Each structure stands twice: as structure tokens, then as C-alpha cells.
């Protein structure tokens, strides 16, 4: 819902101060993903990747959880905190991976392999989570794959690139759902090669959602948090970052003496920014706290079924 529909905002309003005030007034916690715009990251009570945010959502004692990320992340927070109010800045902030794995098709896929164990990337809907055996994130996916007995077949959805990378890391052959992230599949191999020629000392680091040809070139592959930590501890002075560009804000804050180059997309566009994550704005964060809308709600049965594979994930993490 637009700001116009939900109420006009005084252009002279100090949004940062108002958000801080409303958080205290509502006993609210602001959870933000690394892919949010920098202003939102800087206001967050807790900042992280999908695993960290799921863990924090389970621990919170706030009455209100404002989740600045995408829809499936806020759903996870509601599943883990059914008695708390969970609000988002924009209900339309979805995910191409979740959209590409509808529950009816996922259920039919599972039915073809009734004895297989399904590990589903957290980038999926609550309905798909409820049909899964385990949820994983890019931070813990390898650990969860390795926890499955060798004699069990694994179904991995919905990201084929992450799944293929896990096959290489673990040696486990899996049946992969053919989905991909709209951001991570758009990085240009040609332009990255050219960027490396311009900056020969820069290391290419990449998220495992990137395509296989790019991952083969990377000096380091890891989750968003792992990429951030790597740039803090590694001795290189320059990096080409092949993941959503929001994380570069934290990299520059943590290592201001280093150079960070955003991985270029094939087209001349801002395609290295997630169009869903960037639907969230400071104005929408303010309105969500002011109005406690839009809220994340789901039926009790769905929450309870979706919680089982999430709790299995958290127990292993």
C-alpha cells in the first residue's frame, strides 16, 4: 500500500527521530536484512542475513516486530512469534525464488519421491515450508545437507545454483528445483572479467546463489554474513562483490580503508539491487510503526506445520 493511501507524511518530519520514538513507544524491534538501503540498516536493532534474523526473531521479547526485508522473512518471524505483532514496510516485497516455487507444484514434486528428504532454502513461502522436512539458509545449508543420512535421497529447492554448489561442497547428489534469484543470476561474467583486469589486486567474492561459471572464478564463496566477515579478516585491500549491493554499505563501514566494487549486471541497470528489498523505504518503516500495518497473519495450522522444519534447522544451527 502506498504512503498516499495510508496517509500523507509531513515533508518536514524527522523520520529517523520518529522511528526511534515509535520503536520505544510500541516496544518494537526493527530487524533488517543486509540488502536494505543504508539508512534502514543504520536504524536497525538487529542486522543480519536470513539465519541470523530467524534466530533473533525467536529470541525477541518485543511486543512488535518490524521486519525490513522480504515477505518470507517476516513470515518466519511470525511463525516463531505467533503472539507478537509482526509488521512489514511493504507487503509487495516478495522474492523471485519464492514466487518460482508455488506450493501446488512443490507438493506434486515431493509426491514423485515419497522416500526422499526435502531440504528447502528459506527463500520460500510459509506454505512450502510446511511441506518441507528441513529449512536451510546459505549460512547453514552445508551443515544440514551433511546431517542427512547417506542412504536418503535429497530434494533441494528452490535455488538450483545454491543446490549445485552444495553438491560440489558435500559430494551429495541431489534432485534440484530449477529456480534462481533474479539478482544473482544477472551478474555479467564478461563485465566482471573486465573489472578484474582494471583492478588486478581485487578479489572476487560471491554468494552461492550466483551462477556456476561466476562461482568458479571466485576467491571466496559464502553467505552474506560470511562475505562480510571475510572482507574484515582477509588481507586483500580490494574486492569485487557479487551479491546484492546492500551489503557493501556494511563492508565499507567495517573496513573503510578497503575498496569495494559492486559486481556489475549484464544490462546497464541497477539489477544488482533486489527490486523487492528496495520497495522498503524509511517512509514505509515509519508508517508501519505508526499504524502497525501491514501485518503478517496466517492460519494456526499453517504456522504450526511450517514451524517444524524451521525448528529442525535452528536446532542444527
Amino acid at each position: 500500500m502506498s504512503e498516499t493511501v495510508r496517509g500523507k507524511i509531513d515533508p518536514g518530519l524527522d523520520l529517523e527521530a520518529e522511528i526511534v520514538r515509535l520503536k520505544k513507544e510500541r516496544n518494537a524491534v526493527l530487524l533488517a536484512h543486509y540488502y536494505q538501503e543504508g539508512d534502514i540498516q543504520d536504524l536497525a536493532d538487529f542486522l543480519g542475513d536470513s539465519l541470523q534474523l530467524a534466530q533473533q526473531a525467536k529470541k525477541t521479547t518485543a511486543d512488535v516486530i518490524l521486519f525490513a526485508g522480504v515477505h518470507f522473512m517476516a513470515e518466519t518471524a511470525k511463525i516463531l512469534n505467533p503472539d507478537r505483532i509482526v509488521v512489514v514496510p511493504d507487503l509487495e516485497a516478495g522474492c523471485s525464488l519464492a514466487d518460482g516455487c508455488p506450493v501446488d507444484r512443490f507438493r506434486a514434486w515431493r509426491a514423485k519421491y515419497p522416500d526422499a528428504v526435502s531440504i528447502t532454502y528459506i527463500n520460500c513461502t510459509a506454505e512450502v515450508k510446511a511441506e518441507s522436512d528441513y529449512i536451510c539458509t546459505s549460512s547453514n545449508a552445508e551443515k544440514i545437507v551433511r546431517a542427512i543420512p547417506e542412504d536418503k535421497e535429497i530434494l533441494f529447492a528452490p535455488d538450483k545454483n545454491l543446490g549445485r554448489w552444495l553438491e560440489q561442497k558435500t559430494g551429495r547428489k541431489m534432485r534440484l528445483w530449477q529456480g534462481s534469484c533474479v539478482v544473482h543470476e544477472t551478474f555479467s561474467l564478461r563485465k566482471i572479467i573486465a573489472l578484474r583486469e582494471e583492478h588486478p589486486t581485487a578479489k572476487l567474492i560471491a554468494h552461492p546463489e550466483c551462477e556456476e561459471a561466476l562461482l568458479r572464478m571466485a576467491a571466496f564463496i559464502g553467505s552474506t554474513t560470511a562475505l562480510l566477515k571475510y572482507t574484515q579478516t582477509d588481507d586483500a585491500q580490494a574486492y569485487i562483490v557479487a551479491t546484492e549491493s546492500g551489503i557493501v554499505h556494511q563492508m565499507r563501514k567495517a573496513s573503510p580503508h578497503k575498496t569495494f566494487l559492486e559486481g556489475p549486471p549484464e544490462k546497464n541497470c541497477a539489477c544488482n539491487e533486489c527490486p523487492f528489498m528496495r520497495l522498503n523505504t524509511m517512509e514505509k518503516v515509519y508508517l508501519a510503526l505508526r499504524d502497525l500495518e501491514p501485518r503478517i497473519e496466517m492460519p494456526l495450522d499453517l504456522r504450526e506445520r511450517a514451524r517444524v522444519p524451521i525448528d529442525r534447522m535452528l536446532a542444527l544451527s
Side-chain angles (χ1 to χ4, degrees), residues 6-39:
R6 288 166 57 190
K8 293 182 179 179
I9 296 177
D10 181 348
L13 195 67
D14 185 336
L15 287 173
E16 182 176 337
E18 283 299 299
I19 289 168
V20 171
R21 179 185 68 80
L22 284 168
K23 282 198 298 180
K24 184 175 181 180
E25 183 179 299
R26 302 290 198 190
N27 187 26
V29 61
L30 172 56
L31 307 181
H33 194 272
Y34 284 128
Y35 294 169
Q36 293 298 289
E37 63 177 58
D39 287 346

Coordinates of all heavy atoms in Angstrom, one line a residue, residues 6-39:
R6 N -2.1 5.3 2.7 CA -2.1 5.1 4.1 C -2.0 6.4 4.9 O -2.1 6.4 6.1 CB -0.9 4.2 4.5 CG -1.1 2.8 4.1 CD 0.2 2.0 4.1 NE 0.8 2.0 5.4 CZ 2.0 1.5 5.6 NH1 2.7 1.0 4.6 NH2 2.6 1.6 6.8
G7 N -1.8 7.5 4.3 CA -1.7 8.8 5.0 C -0.5 9.6 4.6 O 0.6 9.0 4.4
K8 N -0.7 10.9 4.4 CA 0.4 11.7 3.9 C 1.4 11.9 5.1 O 1.1 11.9 6.2 CB -0.1 13.1 3.5 CG -0.9 13.0 2.2 CD -1.4 14.4 1.8 CE -2.2 14.3 0.5 NZ -2.7 15.6 0.0
I9 N 2.7 12.1 4.7 CA 3.7 12.3 5.7 C 4.2 13.7 5.5 O 4.5 14.2 4.4 CB 4.9 11.4 5.4 CG1 4.5 9.9 5.6 CG2 6.1 11.7 6.3 CD1 5.6 8.9 5.3
D10 N 4.3 14.4 6.6 CA 4.8 15.8 6.6 C 6.2 15.8 6.1 O 7.1 15.1 6.7 CB 4.8 16.3 8.1 CG 5.2 17.8 8.2 OD1 5.8 18.3 7.2 OD2 5.1 18.4 9.3
P11 N 6.5 16.5 5.0 CA 7.8 16.5 4.4 C 8.9 17.0 5.4 O 10.1 16.8 5.2 CB 7.7 17.4 3.2 CG 6.5 18.2 3.4 CD 5.6 17.4 4.2
G12 N 8.5 17.8 6.4 CA 9.5 18.3 7.4 C 9.7 17.3 8.6 O 10.5 17.6 9.5
L13 N 9.0 16.2 8.5 CA 9.2 15.2 9.6 C 10.6 14.6 9.7 O 11.1 14.2 8.7 CB 8.1 14.1 9.5 CG 7.9 13.2 10.7 CD1 7.2 14.0 11.8 CD2 7.0 12.0 10.2
D14 N 11.2 14.6 10.9 CA 12.4 13.9 11.1 C 12.2 12.4 11.2 O 11.9 11.9 12.3 CB 13.1 14.4 12.3 CG 14.5 13.9 12.5 OD1 14.8 12.8 12.0 OD2 15.3 14.5 13.2
L15 N 12.3 11.7 10.1 CA 11.9 10.3 10.1 C 12.7 9.4 11.0 O 12.2 8.6 11.7 CB 12.0 9.7 8.6 CG 10.9 10.2 7.6 CD1 11.3 9.7 6.2 CD2 9.5 9.7 8.1
E16 N 14.0 9.7 11.0 CA 14.9 8.9 11.9 C 14.4 9.1 13.4 O 14.3 8.1 14.1 CB 16.3 9.3 11.7 CG 17.3 8.5 12.6 CD 18.7 8.9 12.3 OE1 19.0 9.4 11.2 OE2 19.6 8.7 13.2
A17 N 14.2 10.3 13.8 CA 13.8 10.6 15.2 C 12.4 10.0 15.5 O 12.2 9.4 16.6 CB 13.8 12.1 15.5
E18 N 11.5 10.0 14.5 CA 10.2 9.5 14.7 C 10.2 8.0 14.8 O 9.5 7.4 15.6 CB 9.3 9.9 13.6 CG 8.8 11.4 13.7 CD 8.0 11.6 15.0 OE1 6.9 10.9 15.2 OE2 8.4 12.4 15.9
I19 N 11.0 7.3 14.0 CA 11.1 5.9 14.1 C 11.7 5.5 15.4 O 11.2 4.5 16.0 CB 12.0 5.4 12.9 CG1 11.3 5.5 11.6 CG2 12.4 3.9 13.1 CD1 12.1 5.3 10.3
V20 N 12.7 6.1 15.9 CA 13.3 5.8 17.2 C 12.3 6.0 18.3 O 12.1 5.2 19.2 CB 14.5 6.7 17.5 CG1 15.0 6.6 18.9 CG2 15.7 6.4 16.5
R21 N 11.5 7.1 18.2 CA 10.4 7.4 19.2 C 9.4 6.3 19.2 O 9.0 5.8 20.2 CB 9.8 8.7 18.9 CG 8.7 9.1 19.9 CD 8.0 10.4 19.5 NE 7.2 10.3 18.3 CZ 6.0 9.7 18.2 NH1 5.4 9.3 19.3 NH2 5.4 9.7 17.0
L22 N 8.9 5.9 18.0 CA 7.9 4.9 17.8 C 8.3 3.5 18.3 O 7.5 2.8 18.8 CB 7.3 4.9 16.4 CG 6.4 6.0 16.0 CD1 6.2 6.1 14.5 CD2 5.1 5.9 16.8
K23 N 9.6 3.2 18.0 CA 10.1 1.9 18.5 C 9.9 1.8 20.0 O 9.5 0.8 20.5 CB 11.5 1.7 18.0 CG 11.7 1.3 16.6 CD 13.1 0.7 16.3 CE 14.2 1.7 16.6 NZ 15.5 1.1 16.4
K24 N 10.3 2.9 20.7 CA 10.2 2.9 22.1 C 8.8 2.8 22.6 O 8.4 2.1 23.5 CB 10.9 4.1 22.7 CG 11.0 4.2 24.2 CD 11.8 5.4 24.7 CE 11.9 5.4 26.2 NZ 12.7 6.6 26.7
E25 N 7.9 3.7 22.0 CA 6.5 3.7 22.3 C 5.8 2.4 22.1 O 4.9 2.0 22.9 CB 5.9 4.8 21.5 CG 4.4 5.1 21.8 CD 3.9 6.3 21.0 OE1 4.4 7.4 21.0 OE2 2.9 6.0 20.2
R26 N 6.1 1.7 21.0 CA 5.4 0.5 20.7 C 6.1 -0.8 21.3 O 5.6 -1.9 21.1 CB 5.4 0.3 19.2 CG 4.8 1.4 18.4 CD 3.3 1.4 18.6 NE 2.6 2.2 17.5 CZ 1.3 2.5 17.5 NH1 0.6 2.1 18.6 NH2 0.8 3.2 16.5
N27 N 7.2 -0.6 22.0 CA 8.1 -1.7 22.4 C 8.4 -2.6 21.2 O 8.1 -3.8 21.2 CB 7.5 -2.5 23.5 CG 8.4 -3.5 24.1 OD1 9.6 -3.4 24.0 ND2 7.9 -4.6 24.6
A28 N 8.9 -1.9 20.2 CA 9.1 -2.6 18.9 C 10.6 -2.8 18.6 O 11.4 -2.1 19.1 CB 8.5 -1.8 17.7
V29 N 10.9 -3.9 17.9 CA 12.3 -4.2 17.5 C 12.3 -4.1 15.9 O 11.3 -4.6 15.3 CB 12.7 -5.5 18.0 CG1 11.9 -6.7 17.5 CG2 14.2 -5.8 17.6
L30 N 13.3 -3.5 15.4 CA 13.4 -3.4 13.9 C 14.5 -4.4 13.5 O 15.7 -4.2 13.9 CB 13.8 -2.0 13.5 CG 14.2 -1.8 12.0 CD1 13.1 -2.3 11.1 CD2 14.5 -0.3 11.8
L31 N 14.1 -5.4 12.8 CA 15.0 -6.4 12.2 C 15.2 -6.0 10.7 O 14.2 -5.9 10.0 CB 14.5 -7.8 12.3 CG 14.1 -8.3 13.7 CD1 13.6 -9.7 13.7 CD2 15.2 -8.1 14.7
A32 N 16.4 -5.9 10.3 CA 16.7 -5.6 8.9 C 17.7 -6.5 8.3 O 18.7 -6.8 8.9 CB 17.2 -4.1 8.8
H33 N 17.5 -6.8 7.0 CA 18.4 -7.6 6.2 C 19.5 -6.7 5.7 O 19.3 -5.5 5.5 CB 17.7 -8.3 5.1 CG 18.5 -9.4 4.5 ND1 19.4 -9.2 3.4 CD2 18.6 -10.7 4.7 CE1 20.0 -10.3 3.1 NE2 19.5 -11.3 3.9
Y34 N 20.7 -7.3 5.4 CA 21.8 -6.6 4.8 C 21.5 -6.0 3.5 O 22.2 -5.1 3.0 CB 23.0 -7.5 4.7 CG 23.7 -7.9 5.9 CD1 24.0 -9.2 6.3 CD2 24.2 -6.9 6.8 CE1 24.7 -9.6 7.4 CE2 24.9 -7.2 7.9 CZ 25.1 -8.6 8.2 OH 25.8 -8.9 9.4
Y35 N 20.4 -6.4 2.8 CA 20.1 -5.9 1.5 C 19.2 -4.7 1.5 O 18.8 -4.2 0.4 CB 19.5 -7.0 0.6 CG 20.3 -8.2 0.3 CD1 19.8 -9.4 -0.2 CD2 21.7 -8.2 0.5 CE1 20.6 -10.5 -0.6 CE2 22.5 -9.3 0.2 CZ 21.9 -10.4 -0.3 OH 22.7 -11.5 -0.6
Q36 N 18.9 -4.2 2.7 CA 18.1 -3.0 2.8 C 19.0 -1.7 2.5 O 20.2 -1.8 2.5 CB 17.5 -2.8 4.2 CG 16.5 -3.9 4.5 CD 15.3 -3.8 3.6 OE1 14.5 -2.9 3.7 NE2 15.1 -4.8 2.7
E37 N 18.3 -0.6 2.2 CA 19.1 0.6 1.9 C 19.8 1.0 3.2 O 19.4 0.6 4.3 CB 18.2 1.7 1.5 CG 17.1 2.1 2.5 CD 16.3 3.3 2.0 OE1 15.6 3.2 1.0 OE2 16.3 4.3 2.7
G38 N 20.9 1.7 3.1 CA 21.8 2.0 4.2 C 21.1 2.7 5.4 O 21.4 2.4 6.5
D39 N 20.2 3.6 5.1 CA 19.5 4.4 6.2 C 18.7 3.4 7.1 O 18.7 3.6 8.3 CB 18.6 5.4 5.6 CG 19.3 6.6 5.0 OD1 20.5 6.8 5.3 OD2 18.7 7.4 4.3

